[in-house]
Amino acid sequence: EADIYQTPRYLVIGTGKKITLECSQTMGHDKMYWYQQDPGMELHLIHYSYGVNSTEKGDLSSESTVSRIRTEHFPLTLESARPSHTSQYLCASSTDSPNTGELFFGEGSRLTVL
Amino acid sequence: AQSVSQHNHHVILSEAASLELGCNYSYGGTVNLFWYVQYPGQHLQLLLKYFSGDPLVKGIKGFEAEFIKSKFSFNLRKPSVQWSDTAEYFCAVRGYGNKLVFGAGTILRVKS
């Protein structure tokens, strides 16, 4: 059972609001990731972190930002939400070992922007 | 850039039917290959993975996958599906840059 938690699970908000999607893991993993998933589409990596104070943009351009002040916490923020941000956001973590490769996923945060 | 292609987006099978889900990737270097599964209402979880060695990999719940390097493929198989296998299945490849790239997923529905 993976110990990675995302809140909120579902969020419906109006355009222009600031939102933060929370992600926490209790496994002590150094690497954490945010993926964006639309129905019938690939999961796209939008942000990743290899440790505290380390954040990088992923393959898919995103207007969101992330921070990594603590190992266990990797929140994603949208300063001004728009309908184009409507999607599911998946947080994941993995160990530092290159030989395991397994990502542990949270249950996702489904965001709807009206 | 590497990419992953899953051939079918929706598959419907009856219980006890055999399953094969196709996955092809585009990257010529050394790869690590994965299948993840997402059961309804649950998080994505690892089904099986291939790093090296025997190209036939066995995973949980009777699933297996075969890595065919010449075909850039990593198809998922199960001889006899059950209703509880209803889920979405994602193929993923890790190659250049050490990042995981996912396919679009295949939704499997097993009729009881």
Side-chain angles (χ1 to χ4, degrees), chain A residues 4-85:
Chain A
I4 180 163
Y5 307 100
Q6 290 185 241
T7 57
R9 290 285 312 277
Y10 302 93
L11 180 62
V12 181
I13 59 166
T15 297
K17 300 291 186 186
K18 177 181 178 179
I19 65 113
T20 296
L21 304 180
E22 302 286 350
C23 176
S24 295
Q25 51 98 1
T26 59
M27 296 173 282
H29 289 167
D30 283 324
K31 296 181 177 178
M32 294 189 74
Y33 312 83
W34 277 102
Y35 285 86
Q36 186 172 338
Q37 182 187 21
D38 293 311
M41 304 292 289
E42 299 87 345
L43 276 71
H44 288 289
L45 182 67
I46 52 174
H47 297 284
Y48 63 98
S49 167
Y50 285 168
V52 171
N53 294 326
S54 149
T55 62
E56 302 286 345
K57 291 214 178 271
D59 304 320
L60 180 68
S61 175
S62 173
E63 293 168 344
S64 59
T65 59
V66 292
S67 62
R68 190 87 184 275
I69 298 171
R70 302 198 316 263
T71 298
E72 62 272 20
H73 199 212
F74 191 41
L76 180 146
T77 298
L78 276 164
E79 290 292 333
S80 179
R82 294 205 301 269
S84 61
H85 297 139

Side-chain angles (χ1 to χ4, degrees), chain B:
Chain B
Q2 61 200 40
S3 64
V4 178
S5 173
Q6 292 185 238
H7 307 157
N8 308 98
H9 189 57
H10 282 95
V11 173
I12 301 174
L13 295 173
S14 298
E15 274 194 309
S18 65
L19 170 72
E20 180 158 5
L21 301 182
C23 172
N24 285 91
Y25 63 93
S26 65
Y27 180 65
T30 301
V31 291
N32 303 142
L33 299 156
F34 306 82
W35 276 97
Y36 281 82
V37 60
Q38 187 169 27
Y39 297 104
Q42 296 187 27
H43 57 84
L44 270 165
Q45 56 189 284
L46 184 68
L47 199 56
L48 48 79
K49 63 186 178 185
Y50 171 79
F51 274 53
S52 62
D54 188 344
L56 185 61
V57 179
K58 295 196 184 297
I60 60 172
K61 302 186 180 184
F63 285 90
E64 64 179 30
E66 185 174 14
F67 171 48
I68 302 179
K69 189 175 181 180
S70 61
K71 294 185 178 180
F72 299 91
S73 71
F74 190 55
N75 292 354
L76 181 71
R77 299 195 293 249
K78 185 170 184 179
S80 176
V81 294
Q82 301 171 310
W83 177 80
S84 58
D85 293 324
T86 294
E88 189 162 13
Y89 294 81
F90 292 89
C91 181
V93 173
R94 188 173 71 186
Y96 177 77
N98 210 35
K99 296 194 209 80
L100 210 52
V101 176
F102 285 84
T106 297
I107 296 171
L108 171 66
R109 187 165 81 87
V110 180
K111 299 184 293 183
S112 59

